[in-house]
Amino acid sequence: MQYSQLSKQYKFINPIGLPGQLRIATKRHYFCKVSCFLGLIPLCASVLMALTLDGNQQFFYQAVVALLLPTVILLGLCQHYLVLDCATNQRFVQLQLLGYCCKKNNCESLQSTELILLHNVNDRSQYCMRLNGTSYMIGTLVDASELVLFISQNFNITAREQVTDFPTIHTLDTHALATSLAESGSQSISTIDIPDSNSLHEHKANAKQKNTIDLPSMFIQPLWQVRIGFRLLYPLPFILLFCFSMKFIGGL
């Protein structure tokens, strides 16, 4: 299976380097992007003050702009990826700046990579992939299975699953999964059977019951979650503190 054959492309995967290398965004990658976005707020405020004020206050905000501008640019250009490399049979974490590789860390064998297909913690009708300790939200069972199968087959990584017998983790039979994906694709359905190499016959006997339980219609996700709202308010105290500090220093 090739990356172009997947039902959809994923934003956390950088297709540059395929098929020999697979670059997947890490938590640090998204931390840099979020920090860059948050840094734009005080940067724009400082630019506005530097254009409207005069005297010592203007010099102060010009210094703030000179300090924030390169920081925001660097954060926006930084890329932090988990790289699976077939040529060297290694997995490592790579920091890139303007497309140039700056640093490689945590070099390990590809065969030691953790690759698990599992339910989403908040919504069991959705599925995600855990790769090297980081979970990536995928969506439907077909989409998640396709991505896990693509990584497992192309980079010789043993795939496991936590779907058929939660919370037990079993080795995933990729050959049977590929057959099941082909059948589900021809039938255009949103659920598939995930065979377990250790309990294949038992799983086939209970497949109808499992698919009924996993129907997305059984789970209704609320339109608004309070926890997500609180997360959006996390940077607010730091932004207010920064604004008050600039106003106090600028008024000296």
Side-chain angles (χ1 to χ4, degrees), residues 24-42:
I24 301 179
T26 63
K27 291 182 179 180
R28 190 171 298 180
H29 177 86
Y30 290 108
F31 174 78
C32 293
K33 301 306 176 184
V34 172
S35 300
C36 175
F37 176 76
L38 295 178
L40 289 175
I41 300 175

Side-chain angles (χ1 to χ4, degrees), residues 163-183:
V163 175
T164 58
D165 189 21
F166 182 87
T168 305
I169 299 177
H170 298 285
T171 301
L172 189 62
D173 189 344
T174 54
H175 297 288
L177 177 60
T179 303
S180 182
L181 280 171
E183 294 176 354

Side-chain angles (χ1 to χ4, degrees), residues 1 20 23 63 69 96 109 111 114 136 156 174 218 227 235 238 242:
M1 177 180 291
R23 293 180 172 88
L69 184 59
Q96 293 185 347
S109 172
Q111 285 66 39
E114 178 191 49
Y136 298 89
N156 194 24
T174 54
M218 298 288 291
R227 182 172 56 182
F238 301 99
F242 180 83

